[in-house]
Amino acid sequence: MMDKEFILKNMHESRKAQRNYSDQEVDQELIDFLIEVAVNAPSKQNEVDFNLTVITNKDMLKEHEERFTWGYHWKQTNSAMHNTQVHAPLIFVYGQTLPEDIHKDIWAADEDGPGENELFEEQFRDTQNLSIGISSGQLVLSARMMGLTTGFSQNTMHNGVDTYDWKEFLGYDRDEFYNPKLVVGVGYADETGVVGYEVAKAHVEKVLAEYV
């Protein structure tokens, strides 16, 4: 018998954003399971129309935290801060693909009349964003059901960061197309509060040092 209460409980829990993760690593078996979930979410014509990069390397995670998680609090637009929802031991980075990566003959659309190709590209972007949303939602719910906690971040281009920084970080060639759209953090909650306290303390000290 399906445990509906268990599913509903985790569904509601998945709406909460984790901001203080423990140092406990996620087992590779669980990581493989979550990758399978993420790339097999429902999509138009069963296409995977996004790039997915999964990072567990500690040096890369540290660099990601320091360079790629800057943003602004919605009530304090002049106050930059990190989005700690993705300061996790495991992150999933969703990136855009180009229409021609999937549809090799997209330029043939212009044969149907002026502007058809532009319309196709616009529709592709809309569909792509939907695919990323569905995939990340399925990923987060599954992670919660496996006893993990999660968080989201769209803070990919703040504090002077651009697509070239992301390409270098992820190992893309400079002339390759890459555009990050969403980062999902996955890990175990810090039940002691120590990690969250240390993160907050370090951030305050860093901000104070810049203005003193």
Side-chain angles (χ1 to χ4, degrees), residues 30-45:
L30 268 180
I31 295 173
D32 293 340
F33 167 75
L34 293 175
I35 292 172
E36 184 76 11
V37 167
V39 300
N40 286 283
S43 62
K44 178 179 176 289
Q45 297 181 330

Side-chain angles (χ1 to χ4, degrees), residues 92-168:
F92 289 72
V93 184
Y94 286 86
Q96 286 184 323
T97 56
L98 290 170
E100 51 264 40
D101 292 337
I102 298 175
H103 306 281
K104 303 300 182 183
D105 60 344
I106 65 164
W107 305 112
D110 276 339
E111 297 176 2
D112 296 330
E116 288 299 317
N117 188 63
E118 288 76 8
L119 178 61
F120 176 84
E121 289 190 79
E122 182 179 343
Q123 291 173 337
F124 179 84
R125 291 287 175 236
D126 290 342
T127 302
Q128 188 174 67
N129 290 333
L130 285 173
S131 295
I132 292 173
I134 294 169
S135 171
S136 60
Q138 185 163 288
L139 165 66
V140 165
L141 177 57
S142 298
R144 288 281 182 166
M145 292 176 72
M146 301 304 292
L148 297 157
T149 58
T150 56
F152 290 92
S153 177
Q154 290 183 299
N155 299 355
T156 58
M157 297 290 188
H158 292 287
N159 205 36
V161 169
D162 58 25
T163 56
Y164 292 111
D165 295 310
W166 275 97
K167 290 178 188 179
E168 180 184 24

Side-chain angles (χ1 to χ4, degrees), residues 21-212:
Y21 295 90
S22 75
D23 295 328
Q24 182 180 350
E25 297 181 1
V26 181
D27 292 339
Q28 188 61 49
E29 184 179 355
L30 268 180
I31 295 173
D32 293 340
F33 167 75
L34 293 175
I35 292 172
E36 184 76 11
V37 167
V39 300
N40 286 283
S43 62
K44 178 179 176 289
Q45 297 181 330
N46 200 32
E47 297 170 344
V48 181
D49 51 6
F50 52 79
N51 287 318
L52 184 65
T53 304
V54 181
I55 301 175
T56 58
N57 178 277
K58 291 183 178 180
D59 291 335
M60 290 188 70
L61 290 170
K62 181 175 176 58
E63 182 177 356
H64 174 260
E65 290 181 10
E66 293 176 349
R67 297 181 61 199
F68 298 99
T69 63
W70 285 98
Y72 295 94
H73 192 281
W74 71 280
K75 288 185 177 180
Q76 301 174 21
T77 54
N78 64 338
S79 176
M81 60 187 69
H82 287 290
N83 184 351
T84 58
Q85 292 184 48
V86 290
H87 287 196
L90 168 64
I91 60 173
F92 289 72
V93 184
Y94 286 86
Q96 286 184 323
T97 56
L98 290 170
E100 51 264 40
D101 292 337
I102 298 175
H103 306 281
K104 303 300 182 183
D105 60 344
I106 65 164
W107 305 112
D110 276 339
E111 297 176 2
D112 296 330
E116 288 299 317
N117 188 63
E118 288 76 8
L119 178 61
F120 176 84
E121 289 190 79
E122 182 179 343
Q123 291 173 337
F124 179 84
R125 291 287 175 236
D126 290 342
T127 302
Q128 188 174 67
N129 290 333
L130 285 173
S131 295
I132 292 173
I134 294 169
S135 171
S136 60
Q138 185 163 288
L139 165 66
V140 165
L141 177 57
S142 298
R144 288 281 182 166
M145 292 176 72
M146 301 304 292
L148 297 157
T149 58
T150 56
F152 290 92
S153 177
Q154 290 183 299
N155 299 355
T156 58
M157 297 290 188
H158 292 287
N159 205 36
V161 169
D162 58 25
T163 56
Y164 292 111
D165 295 310
W166 275 97
K167 290 178 188 179
E168 180 184 24
F169 174 60
L170 296 178
Y172 284 81
D173 291 334
R174 189 174 177 83
D175 58 350
E176 285 186 271
F177 176 82
Y178 185 77
N179 184 27
K181 294 293 292 182
L182 180 70
V183 181
V184 178
V186 180
Y188 295 96
D190 170 37
E191 303 294 350
T192 67
V194 174
V195 174
Y197 169 77
E198 292 297 332
V199 169
K201 179 182 176 183
H203 178 69
V204 170
E205 290 176 348
K206 181 179 177 64
V207 172
L208 289 175
E210 292 175 355
Y211 291 97
V212 173

